[in-house]
Amino acid sequence: MRIRKCSRAVIVNEFNKILLQKFEFKDVVGNKVLWVTPGGGVKENETPVEALKRELNEELGIVVDIHDKPIFEMDVLIEGKRGPFISREIYYKIAIQSDTILSIENMTKNEKDTFIELKWWSKEKLQKIENFAPREILNYF
């Protein structure tokens, strides 16, 4: 089975809220709409940290330093329209201020076509919704 390596960020602000992006995943069976952490695929010859820094610049227009070790890793089986695959995900915790200017201008065309919304979430509110992944992030902020 194909494995797609991903690097993702659990971004938390000074109010202990987490930043999530809402996307329609058009390449997944059922075109799922989910709130997810920023991040994405690790390219060949790229480390997970390098990939995450690139993705955060693309998706949010921010430049971050990442010095800490990952907070957790997981494999997720995804039913893609071109067949199932495993998303091998590595998560890093990153703190930014709630007033940080964010921009989606650097997103790829595909990301812009599937992007819906960006929002800060409290843990209490996030626990009450079903359409976010992975639920494991609730243990890390």
Side-chain angles (χ1 to χ4, degrees):
M1 183 173 297
R2 183 171 68 92
I3 296 175
R4 179 180 186 255
K5 294 180 182 177
C6 293
S7 191
R8 307 197 71 80
V10 176
I11 299 177
V12 180
N13 69 18
E14 71 274 22
F15 304 111
N16 204 37
K17 290 187 174 183
I18 185 169
L19 185 67
L20 296 178
Q21 299 170 306
K22 189 176 188 181
F23 282 99
E24 178 182 4
F25 291 92
K26 296 179 180 181
D27 56 347
V28 173
V29 173
N31 288 25
K32 290 189 177 181
V33 175
L34 292 172
W35 287 97
V36 296
T37 57
V42 177
K43 294 179 179 178
E44 194 172 325
N45 299 321
E46 194 175 46
T47 68
V49 168
E50 291 167 339
L52 187 55
K53 290 170 94 171
R54 175 183 49 75
E55 287 286 344
L56 293 178
N57 187 294
E58 284 177 12
E59 294 183 1
L60 301 174
I62 61 174
V63 176
V64 297
D65 287 325
I66 303 169
H67 300 291
D68 295 330
K69 296 197 179 304
I71 54 174
F72 72 99
E73 299 180 34
M74 65 187 301
D75 284 353
V76 180
L77 177 62
I78 297 178
E79 293 297 329
K81 289 184 177 173
R82 290 181 278 156
F85 65 95
I86 292 173
S87 181
R88 181 152 291 154
E89 301 178 351
I90 185 168
Y91 288 80
Y92 294 86
K93 188 172 183 177
I94 296 171
I96 67 171
Q97 295 297 303
S98 58
D99 63 354
T100 301
I101 295 171
L102 304 172
S103 169
I104 65 166
E105 292 305 311
N106 296 334
M107 278 188 181
T108 65
K109 180 180 180 340
N110 182 57
E111 287 169 335
K112 284 181 181 177
D113 289 345
T114 59
F115 175 79
I116 299 170
E117 186 180 358
L118 182 66
K119 182 177 174 180
W120 288 102
W121 288 87
S122 69
K123 188 173 188 176
E124 295 75 28
K125 286 191 178 178
L126 201 52
Q127 288 171 324
K128 295 176 183 176
I129 69 166
E130 294 297 319
N131 64 331
F132 88 93
R135 296 199 77 81
E136 288 80 357
I137 63 175
L138 291 170
N139 299 322
Y140 296 94
F141 81 105

